[in-house]
Amino acid sequence: EVFMQCLRKVKDNGMKHILFGIGISNIVIIFLIFLFIVVNGLKFFSSYSVTDFFFGKKWISLSELYGLLPLLVGSFWVTIVALVIAVPVGILTAIYIAEYATPKVRTFLKIIIETMSAIPSVVLGVIGLYVLSGPIKNLFNLSSGLTALTGGIMLAFMALPTIVSIADDSLEALDKSYKEASLALGANQVETIFNVLLPAAFPGIFAGIMLGFGRIIGETLTVLMITGNSPILATTPLSAVRTLTATIAAEMGEVVQGSTHYYALFAIGIVLFIISFITNCIADKFIRKAREL
């Protein structure tokens, strides 16, 4: 018996050290990735003006013009369109699942949502290219249906599973007394949902929105296929655009290693890393706040 206790203790300590090692290795790997991107990205600014990069209005690699604004504007339009669609649809879907759906319908919808999250981005790109771009072209009388609107609609489908799942979990995690007290005071179910439950679950819902935003801003293949890949300062979502991620994907394979263009793509990577870091920090803050409620 003493031997078994000692053996169990050794196993527990061994597993503890293994998990600790895995955790540390993950941190080290992320740090090395960040260091690799930063070191190469900073080399770009030794030969190119920081002001011209962040405020430049043209991205023409053949002319050695590396202005970030067209790419930021492209990412902005795609993200705005996706969030305008995904946020209300996601929250309303979560409300239905949490408050109205029967157990069987809830299970079915959860399966559908999880299936949506498993659809490869290239499949959504093909759907956008051959199914969605044509109607958008005809509806708005455009020369091409490959626009920020097309990309944003498809990215909304990619962000929906994250927003719906976290919003549903946030609503389900609320104490039942919130709903019971509101109904006891004479409020109907709709008033209870929008005046009591949603404000109480807001930290968790907002965290889901931020994680959905991170999913949208980091998507590459779908936007590369269906947004037109035109690095221009688009004034409407009906224009062809090019996003930050699509620029790296489109140009990294053909760029001369060690050139200014090569390091410019790493500079874009720094910008994306900073955006992702800020997004995840905000989401983590609201997730912690939701757990404290």
Side-chain angles (χ1 to χ4, degrees), residues 67-130:
L68 190 67
L69 278 181
L71 311 182
L72 284 174
V73 169
S75 295
F76 167 79
W77 280 122
V78 171
T79 302
I80 287 297
V81 170
L83 289 178
V84 165
I85 297 172
V87 170
V89 173
I91 293 176
L92 291 175
T93 303
I95 290 173
Y96 176 76
I97 292 174
E99 297 297 325
Y100 292 99
T102 62
K104 287 185 178 180
V105 173
R106 174 183 171 83
T107 302
F108 174 76
L109 290 176
K110 296 285 278 187
I111 293 173
I112 294 296
I113 291 168
E114 291 173 3
T115 303
M116 284 177 59
S117 65
I119 298 176
S121 57
V122 66
V123 174
L124 291 175
V126 171
I127 294 172
L129 189 62
Y130 292 106

Side-chain angles (χ1 to χ4, degrees), residues 125-157:
V126 171
I127 294 172
L129 189 62
Y130 292 106
V131 178
L132 186 60
S133 63
I136 287 180
K137 174 185 175 181
N138 297 330
L139 180 63
F140 295 99
N141 195 25
L142 304 173
S143 59
S144 172
L146 303 180
T147 64
L149 178 62
T150 310
I153 292 172
M154 297 314 300
L155 289 186
F157 283 98

Side-chain angles (χ1 to χ4, degrees), residues 3-292:
F3 174 76
M4 292 302 295
Q5 290 179 351
C6 292
L7 182 62
R8 191 180 299 111
K9 187 175 181 180
V10 170
K11 287 181 178 179
D12 290 341
N13 289 333
M15 184 58 65
K16 177 181 177 181
H17 287 93
I18 289 173
L19 294 175
F20 177 78
I22 293 173
I24 292 296
S25 64
N26 288 334
I27 295 173
V28 171
I29 290 171
I30 293 173
F31 175 76
L32 291 176
I33 292 173
F34 175 71
L35 185 64
F36 175 72
I37 294 173
V38 169
V39 168
N40 284 282
L42 291 179
K43 291 179 181 178
F44 170 71
F45 297 112
S46 64
S47 59
Y48 200 85
S49 169
V50 176
T51 304
D52 290 342
F53 175 69
F54 283 102
F55 298 101
K57 297 180 180 179
K58 293 182 179 180
W59 181 278
I60 308 174
S61 57
L62 294 177
S63 302
E64 295 191 355
L65 295 174
Y66 305 108
L68 190 67
L69 278 181
L71 311 182
L72 284 174
V73 169
S75 295
F76 167 79
W77 280 122
V78 171
T79 302
I80 287 297
V81 170
L83 289 178
V84 165
I85 297 172
V87 170
V89 173
I91 293 176
L92 291 175
T93 303
I95 290 173
Y96 176 76
I97 292 174
E99 297 297 325
Y100 292 99
T102 62
K104 287 185 178 180
V105 173
R106 174 183 171 83
T107 302
F108 174 76
L109 290 176
K110 296 285 278 187
I111 293 173
I112 294 296
I113 291 168
E114 291 173 3
T115 303
M116 284 177 59
S117 65
I119 298 176
S121 57
V122 66
V123 174
L124 291 175
V126 171
I127 294 172
L129 189 62
Y130 292 106
V131 178
L132 186 60
S133 63
I136 287 180
K137 174 185 175 181
N138 297 330
L139 180 63
F140 295 99
N141 195 25
L142 304 173
S143 59
S144 172
L146 303 180
T147 64
L149 178 62
T150 310
I153 292 172
M154 297 314 300
L155 289 186
F157 283 98
M158 303 182 74
L160 268 175
T162 301
I163 296 175
V164 172
S165 296
I166 296 181
D168 175 50
D169 292 340
S170 300
L171 290 169
E172 286 292 320
L174 293 177
D175 194 295
K176 298 300 181 183
S177 60
Y178 284 88
K179 183 176 181 179
E180 293 171 354
S182 178
L183 294 174
L185 290 172
N188 58 37
Q189 190 167 8
V190 174
E191 292 172 335
T192 298
I193 290 170
F194 286 96
N195 295 329
V196 178
L197 300 184
L198 284 182
F202 175 76
I205 294 173
F206 186 76
I209 293 172
M210 292 305 298
L211 292 175
F213 168 80
R215 180 78 171 91
I216 293 167
I217 200 71
E219 177 51 37
T220 303
L221 190 55
T222 300
V223 292
L224 183 63
M225 296 173 68
I226 61 176
T227 57
N229 270 323
S230 182
I232 60 175
L233 281 170
T235 55
T236 71
L238 297 177
S239 300
V241 297
R242 176 185 278 188
T243 64
L244 296 166
T245 52
T247 302
I248 297 175
E251 299 182 7
M252 184 60 80
E254 300 177 356
V255 70
V256 178
Q257 188 170 352
S259 64
T260 303
H261 184 195
Y262 176 79
Y263 294 126
L265 298 178
F266 278 96
I268 295 176
I270 294 176
V271 174
L272 279 170
F273 200 99
I274 293 172
I275 293 173
S276 298
F277 179 76
I278 293 173
T279 300
N280 282 284
C281 286
I282 294 174
D284 183 68
K285 177 182 177 180
F286 277 88
I287 288 174
R288 290 174 183 271
K289 187 175 180 180
R291 288 173 178 171
E292 293 173 358

